[in-house]
Amino acid sequence: MVVGCPVGIPNYRKGFDVYDASTGIKEDISKVVIKDGEVMPGWTDEDSPSKASGRAVVPGGVKQALFYLMISDEDTGLSKKQMIDEPDVFTDETDVLTVTVGGTSSRGGVVTADEMLTLELDFHCRKDGLANVHVEISFSNQFYPADYAFTYQCGNGGW
């Protein structure tokens, strides 16, 4: 349960942002993944992997994705630094894809307005197909977790 969160009122971490730095997704999908703790369109969780219009799809030629985690220097009334837990990264389609996690945020840490953290995801295809990749970044139960998802295309994606 999230501490200090009134029932029915989201408690997102204002000022916490995640940016896509290198996934090779289509230009019509925002490079802003999380803004003020909330997921942006195209990066929401889906029941099954898809290449639908408006969905963030990482092509199979991209073997590593890089995301920047940062705290905005805008005045939000909150601290300019935030402790994050170790990111939870997984796929439901383990027969298609394995994901390994690296970067300066891989074991958790402190994100500040002066120093961002990186999240590096390495993709290892096991067979052709599509796989949802889920990423959740939590804040020691101070705020709602910041979570996002995208489709990874192994090989020709089963098409």
Side-chain angles (χ1 to χ4, degrees):
M1 171 169 271
V2 177
V3 175
C5 183
V7 175
I9 300 175
N11 187 25
Y12 297 108
R13 176 39 167 114
K14 296 291 182 201
F16 179 76
D17 302 332
V18 176
Y19 292 90
D20 165 32
S22 66
T23 62
I25 60 169
K26 293 184 290 186
E27 293 176 11
D28 62 334
I29 303 296
S30 174
K31 296 298 238 177
V32 179
V33 179
I34 301 285
K35 180 69 177 161
D36 286 329
E38 294 187 66
V39 66
M40 296 289 96
W43 296 93
T44 58
D45 198 5
E46 302 287 334
D47 291 335
S48 59
S50 84
K51 291 172 53 175
S53 176
R55 174 86 173 137
V57 177
V58 177
V62 175
K63 300 301 181 201
Q64 183 182 72
L66 174 63
F67 297 92
Y68 293 120
L69 287 58
M70 58 188 64
I71 293 292
S72 168
D73 59 2
E74 296 174 7
D75 184 16
T76 61
L78 298 171
S79 173
K80 297 292 183 206
K81 65 182 184 177
Q82 177 65 54
M83 176 68 96
I84 65 165
D85 299 322
E86 179 178 331
D88 184 18
V89 179
F90 64 94
T91 180
D92 297 323
E93 292 76 32
T94 56
D95 60 322
V96 175
L97 179 70
T98 301
V99 182
T100 55
V101 180
T104 56
S105 70
S106 65
R107 298 186 193 275
V110 178
V111 182
T112 71
D114 296 325
E115 186 173 347
M116 66 183 139
L117 297 180
T118 60
L119 177 62
E120 298 171 8
L121 305 180
D122 291 318
F123 305 111
H124 312 278
C125 290
R126 303 173 132 230
K127 68 178 186 179
D128 283 2
L130 298 175
N132 271 339
V133 177
H134 309 270
V135 178
E136 181 177 289
I137 301 164
S138 57
F139 308 102
S140 302
N141 290 328
Q142 292 178 304
F143 303 96
Y144 273 22
D147 59 342
Y148 61 97
F150 55 91
T151 297
Y152 187 82
Q153 180 179 344
C154 285
N156 64 14
W159 298 106

